[in-house]
Amino acid sequence: MIEFEGFTPVYGGVCAAQGFTAGSVRAGIKAGSGKDDLAMIYCVKKCTAAAVYTQNVVKGAPIIVTQRHLQDGFAQAVVVNSGNANTCNSNGVEIAELMCNLTAENLKLDPQDVIVASTGVIGQKLSAEIFEQNIPLLSCCLSEVGSTDACKAIMTTDTRLKEFAFEFEIGGKTCSIGGISKGSGMINPAMATLLCFITTDVNISAEMLQKALNEANIDSYSRVNIDGDTSTNDMACILASGMAGNAEITDANEDYAVFLDGLCAVMVNLARETARDGEGATKLIECLVKNAPSLQAAELISRSVISSSLVKAAVFAADANWGRILCAAGYSGADFDPLKVSVKMLSANGEVLVCQNGVGVDYCEEAAHEVLSADEVVIVIDLQGDNPDNQAIAWGCDLTYDYVKINAEYRT
Amino acid sequence: MIEFEGFTPVYGGVCAAQGFTAGSVRAGIKAGSGKDDLAMIYCVKKCTAAAVYTQNVVKGAPIIVTQRHLQDGFAQAVVVNSGNANTCNSNGVEIAELMCNLTAENLKLDPQDVIVASTGVIGQKLSAEIFEQNIPLLSCCLSEVGSTDACKAIMTTDTRLKEFAFEFEIGGKTCSIGGISKGSGMINPAMATLLCFITTDVNISAEMLQKALNEANIDSYSRVNIDGDTSTNDMACILASGMAGNAEITDANEDYAVFLDGLCAVMVNLARETARDGEGATKLIECLVKNAPSLQAAELISRSVISSSLVKAAVFAADANWGRILCAAGYSGADFDPLKVSVKMLSANGEVLVCQNGVGVDYCEEAAHEVLSADEVVIVIDLQGDNPDNQAIAWGCDLTYDYVKINAEYRT
């Protein structure tokens, strides 16, 4: 976990903040999945709310319905299913609306205050009956310790829980923020994300909440790529109950800065765990680009390197085939001087310099293999420019036989 | 093979055109490779010449030297090695120049008239000695039946020969054009290509030759993607001896149009074979996008679909998971109406419609599996626009365990 100064990790995930409960139920949406697949998050109080969505032109029905419901900047509950994306279905919007209506009815809310999300196979019909039977049950069993259950229920090919929460202070008031997230394949968040639900008890206007979410997203999910496929159903949303009792944040003041840090603490950690849990992955790959000619160049290069199938396959084999790293930097779209590039690989097992001023240096292949055998590997690219602010990080994972296995057999 | 009307397939590859010989030798550039790894193409007459190069910022030393040598639009020989990319080496340009100098000396040419290319691992030193010993030998053994040997010698992880030649007429004169090509991984030609060498006896100015190569490239290699990695060493070049005796082509007249068709016949077939022979591939995937809102939209969508790891893994498993196709279309960057999309899959085993007006249709999964089990699979996406000219094709291959295996073990 990446630590953020002034933010104390706490248990509770999306229930860490005051006012929130969560839970899950096994609705049987995907035959034979054997796990809970319907989750709900609820707040006792109407919250300010914000979301970012996939940039994919083909959008899941839940995205369309949620966008409509969040126009006013308020929400009070989230309902999510896994096992079916509810995308490219003739009755998709109808089903998504039904999910909101049933949630609202059982929790005694306005359907406009419900956020809906779905994840799973695209283009498979969904029956209304499943929700008619299970949403009433689920609404009755929400609890203050329900975050982990909800987190498990939204997983598809994920193998690891992605759940974080932090406690911090704003204006002398103790505040909390926490989130859960899912996503393992079809992950290339394009100014949006996969599925991520965050709650906080900070008192903040809907407008500033949206601004903070947009900013935190740029430094977290927008720096992740697993397989280059931007999903149709990506969504990250946040609900703020205001129950911490701080003075409402209505502009980009000091309190806003603290809140933004807290949001980054949750989102950066969720994003890193998402990369680590990429389909079939055995390793988290972090690429740090330093001293680039521009910030944009640093961003392009770091993303290009962690996206390269060839770099990913080499890291899987713990093979320091650094030429592939230079190649990926070279086609990133960034302009830079190839003769000023140095590349270092580091991990808990040590570090090794493999390339300096654009050409290979003598290094010990066995030592490099040892470095790359760790489960977190950092590739540091130094472009020897004179502005240390032109720096960016991106996260990805290795490419393994299991990525192919998982995706060749996903529907079977 | 794609047939082009008026163009008769012939044997001979790069030696089909009058004046050309070729050959190869086993220089032992990559220890233990057990195959020829140094190839040469030569023309008895100085030729007009043109080339397109990788857009990668990190360029192999042979690219830099060849760009310099082709500034005047003339060449007479090509020397190529596999087993080492001669890229990111401190003495790379020196070695590439040495290759040209030795070739020129032995064939009694000006070194400026030699094209040099290399393919293999990036960042591994190359010794001068290997070329000093082998280029004189190779220069002595060029022959009119040497094309296939040269084609084999430039292969790296390729498993199939990529060699085509056609005979045709311009102004009553019989002309020939032929080419050889290599490339299997690190293939995402960005307005350039992989390694491709083409010869013709058509009489054409260097300027029109360059124009034709650029145009043919857009419809051939620029429509191929195997793994998204644009190589540092991509190059396609063409030499025209003029020995067919046609009136020199100096502007975009009717003769030019015939020549361009011939060039497309060679390059489209080489490009398709390159996609079919993608690392680890078991299938050629063709994506045809019809009736798009614009030509650019058709191009973006077709490329995005054949580039999607998830589509590729599904085709490997012969699984008609068409939601992934809509998803890839949706993030292609093209603007289109998702509710106007229909998707059909077809092959020698039949055809199946899986999606109409953006939603799934009932189809038989077994029949779809049968269609996708063929070794050439076509995905047809109809966007129901009113301009049939807004159509594009792209070629790729499936993603298999062997892609991971080949690239995890490439250097070992």
Side-chain angles (χ1 to χ4, degrees):
Chain A
M1 192 183 69
I2 302 282
E3 290 180 17
F4 282 68
E5 214 188 310
F7 295 84
T8 311
V10 293
Y11 287 102
V14 286
C15 301
Q18 287 182 62
F20 291 93
T21 52
S24 69
V25 74
R26 183 170 164 181
I29 290 163
K30 188 177 176 182
S33 88
K35 65 181 264 302
D36 283 8
D37 49 12
L38 190 61
M40 200 176 277
I41 303 168
Y42 167 69
C43 187
V44 293
K45 214 174 143 291
K46 195 158 167 170
C47 299
T48 54
V52 288
Y53 308 95
T54 184
Q55 302 297 298
N56 199 309
V57 170
V58 179
K59 287 179 172 51
I63 296 277
I64 295 161
V65 172
T66 297
Q67 281 180 317
R68 198 190 300 147
H69 287 186
L70 282 187
Q71 269 171 4
D72 64 357
F74 292 95
Q76 196 167 351
V78 180
V79 60
V80 200
N81 74 277
S82 60
N84 187 313
N86 192 19
T87 299
C88 300
N89 288 334
S90 52
N91 64 342
V93 169
E94 199 179 305
I95 291 283
E97 281 173 347
L98 176 74
M99 288 170 73
C100 294
N101 292 343
L102 289 166
T103 302
E105 191 181 311
N106 284 278
L107 296 175
K108 303 190 177 26
L109 313 173
D110 183 340
Q112 292 287 325
D113 289 330
V114 181
I115 289 169
V116 58
S118 299
T119 178
V121 183
I122 298 169
Q124 309 267 307
K125 281 177 190 150
L126 254 175
S127 83
E129 211 181 14
I130 256 178
F131 299 107
E132 286 161 355
Q133 283 172 356
N134 288 284
I135 287 180
L137 292 176
L138 176 53
S139 309
C140 296
C141 70
L142 304 179
S143 95
E144 284 175 13
V145 293
S147 177
T148 304
D149 284 347
C151 189
K152 284 183 189 162
I154 65 174
M155 288 161 76
T156 51
T157 54
D158 305 64
T159 66
R160 304 166 69 103
L161 276 178
K162 299 170 193 85
E163 183 181 35
F164 289 94
F166 297 90
E167 210 171 82
F168 56 104
E169 272 196 14
I170 289 182
K173 304 287 182 183
T174 301
C175 303
S176 299
I177 187 166
I180 59 175
S181 176
K182 69 78 55 180
S184 187
M186 206 177 265
I187 300 288
N188 179 16
M191 299 303 288
T193 66
L194 39 182
L195 289 189
C196 171
F197 307 100
I198 303 169
T199 62
T200 183
D201 44 26
V202 169
N203 188 11
I204 179 168
S205 71
E207 193 188 337
M208 296 313 290
L209 195 61
Q210 183 69 57
K211 179 178 160 71
L213 184 61
N214 293 348
E215 290 187 31
N217 186 43
I218 287 169
D219 290 330
S220 57
Y221 285 114
S222 294
R223 310 303 306 150
V224 170
N225 188 4
I226 288 173
D227 54 12
D229 283 275
T230 300
S231 157
T232 50
N233 288 50
D234 288 348
M235 181 200 303
C237 67
I238 179 165
L239 281 77
S241 71
M243 291 169 75
N246 61 298
E248 191 187 8
I249 300 172
T250 55
D251 53 41
N253 56 14
E254 213 170 280
D255 291 352
Y256 173 82
V258 175
F259 174 71
L260 180 58
D261 270 0
L263 189 53
C264 284
V266 171
M267 290 179 73
V268 164
N269 278 297
L270 288 173
R272 267 173 58 95
E273 290 308 297
T274 301
R276 187 197 306 279
D277 196 25
E279 282 176 341
T282 67
K283 291 169 194 168
L284 171 68
I285 305 176
E286 175 173 305
C287 180
L288 166 64
V289 176
K290 303 196 319 187
N291 303 309
S294 67
L295 182 60
Q296 195 203 17
E299 288 172 352
L300 286 169
I301 293 168
S302 60
R303 263 191 87 87
S304 186
V305 169
I306 56 101
S307 303
S308 158
S309 292
L310 294 172
V311 171
K312 290 154 66 84
V315 172
F316 170 48
D319 177 11
N321 195 337
W322 58 269
R324 294 177 177 177
I325 295 170
L326 262 79
C327 179
Y331 65 70
S332 66
D335 196 19
F336 64 92
D337 183 352
L339 299 179
K340 282 192 172 174
V341 182
S342 83
V343 179
K344 197 166 64 177
M345 297 172 182
L346 58 93
S347 76
N349 298 349
E351 68 173 71
V352 58
L353 180 76
V354 290
C355 167
Q356 198 154 32
N357 297 325
V359 301
V361 297
D362 288 330
Y363 63 90
C364 168
E365 287 284 1
E366 289 67 31
H369 186 271
E370 183 63 19
V371 167
L372 292 178
S373 297
D375 60 5
E376 284 193 19
V377 169
V378 184
I379 297 168
V380 183
I381 301 177
D382 191 333
L383 297 173
Q384 300 177 46
D386 45 20
N387 188 346
D389 287 343
N390 293 339
Q391 174 170 319
I393 285 180
W395 298 287
C397 61
D398 54 344
L399 175 63
T400 72
Y401 298 110
D402 279 352
Y403 178 85
V404 179
K405 186 175 165 68
I406 290 164
N407 284 302
E409 297 174 1
Y410 186 54
R411 292 204 315 168
T412 54
Chain B
M1 193 182 68
I2 302 282
E3 290 178 17
F4 281 69
E5 214 189 311
F7 296 84
T8 312
V10 293
Y11 287 103
V14 285
C15 300
Q18 287 181 63
F20 292 92
T21 52
S24 69
V25 73
R26 182 169 163 183
I29 290 164
K30 187 177 175 181
S33 89
K35 67 180 266 298
D36 285 7
D37 49 12
L38 189 62
M40 202 176 274
I41 304 168
Y42 168 70
C43 186
V44 293
K45 213 175 142 291
K46 195 157 166 169
C47 299
T48 54
V52 286
Y53 308 95
T54 183
Q55 302 298 299
N56 198 309
V57 170
V58 178
K59 287 179 171 53
I63 296 279
I64 294 162
V65 172
T66 297
Q67 280 179 318
R68 200 191 298 147
H69 286 187
L70 281 186
Q71 267 171 6
D72 66 355
F74 292 97
Q76 197 167 350
V78 180
V79 60
V80 201
N81 73 276
S82 60
N84 187 315
N86 193 19
T87 299
C88 302
N89 288 334
S90 51
N91 66 342
V93 168
E94 200 179 302
I95 291 282
E97 281 174 347
L98 177 76
M99 290 171 72
C100 293
N101 291 344
L102 289 166
T103 301
E105 190 181 313
N106 284 277
L107 296 174
K108 302 190 181 22
L109 312 174
D110 184 340
Q112 292 288 325
D113 289 333
V114 181
I115 289 169
V116 59
S118 299
T119 177
V121 183
I122 298 169
Q124 309 267 305
K125 282 178 190 148
L126 254 175
S127 84
E129 210 181 14
I130 256 178
F131 298 107
E132 285 161 356
Q133 283 172 0
N134 288 285
I135 287 180
L137 292 174
L138 176 53
S139 308
C140 295
C141 70
L142 304 179
S143 96
E144 284 176 10
V145 294
S147 177
T148 303
D149 284 346
C151 189
K152 283 181 187 162
I154 65 174
M155 289 160 74
T156 51
T157 52
D158 304 64
T159 65
R160 303 167 70 103
L161 276 179
K162 298 166 194 89
E163 184 182 33
F164 289 94
F166 297 90
E167 210 171 81
F168 56 105
E169 272 196 14
I170 288 183
K173 305 286 183 184
T174 300
C175 303
S176 299
I177 187 165
I180 59 175
S181 175
K182 68 80 52 179
S184 187
M186 208 178 264
I187 300 287
N188 179 17
M191 300 301 287
T193 64
L194 42 180
L195 289 189
C196 171
F197 306 101
I198 303 169
T199 62
T200 183
D201 43 25
V202 169
N203 189 10
I204 179 167
S205 71
E207 194 190 338
M208 297 312 290
L209 196 61
Q210 183 70 55
K211 180 179 160 71
L213 184 60
N214 294 348
E215 289 186 31
N217 186 44
I218 287 168
D219 290 331
S220 55
Y221 284 113
S222 294
R223 310 303 307 149
V224 170
N225 188 6
I226 289 175
D227 54 12
D229 282 275
T230 300
S231 158
T232 50
N233 286 48
D234 288 347
M235 182 199 303
C237 66
I238 180 162
L239 281 76
S241 72
M243 291 170 74
N246 62 298
E248 190 188 9
I249 300 171
T250 55
D251 55 39
N253 57 15
E254 214 171 278
D255 291 352
Y256 172 83
V258 175
F259 173 72
L260 180 59
D261 269 0
L263 187 55
C264 284
V266 171
M267 289 179 72
V268 165
N269 277 297
L270 288 174
R272 267 172 58 94
E273 290 308 298
T274 301
R276 188 197 304 280
D277 196 24
E279 283 175 340
T282 67
K283 291 168 194 169
L284 172 69
I285 306 175
E286 177 173 302
C287 180
L288 166 65
V289 176
K290 303 195 320 188
N291 305 310
S294 67
L295 182 59
Q296 194 204 17
E299 287 172 353
L300 285 170
I301 293 167
S302 60
R303 264 191 85 87
S304 186
V305 169
I306 57 101
S307 303
S308 158
S309 293
L310 294 172
V311 171
K312 290 154 66 85
V315 172
F316 169 49
D319 176 12
N321 193 338
W322 58 268
R324 295 178 178 177
I325 295 170
L326 262 80
C327 179
Y331 65 70
S332 66
D335 196 21
F336 64 93
D337 182 352
L339 298 179
K340 281 190 172 177
V341 181
S342 83
V343 178
K344 197 166 66 177
M345 297 171 184
L346 58 93
S347 74
N349 298 349
E351 68 173 71
V352 57
L353 180 76
V354 289
C355 167
Q356 199 154 31
N357 298 324
V359 300
V361 297
D362 288 329
Y363 64 90
C364 169
E365 287 284 359
E366 289 67 31
H369 186 272
E370 183 64 18
V371 167
L372 292 177
S373 297
D375 59 6
E376 283 191 20
V377 169
V378 185
I379 297 167
V380 183
I381 301 176
D382 191 333
L383 297 175
Q384 299 178 47
D386 45 20
N387 187 345
D389 288 342
N390 294 338
Q391 176 170 317
I393 285 179
W395 299 287
C397 62
D398 54 343
L399 175 63
T400 72
Y401 299 109
D402 279 352
Y403 178 85
V404 179
K405 186 176 165 70
I406 290 164
N407 285 302
E409 296 174 2
Y410 186 52
R411 295 202 314 167
T412 55

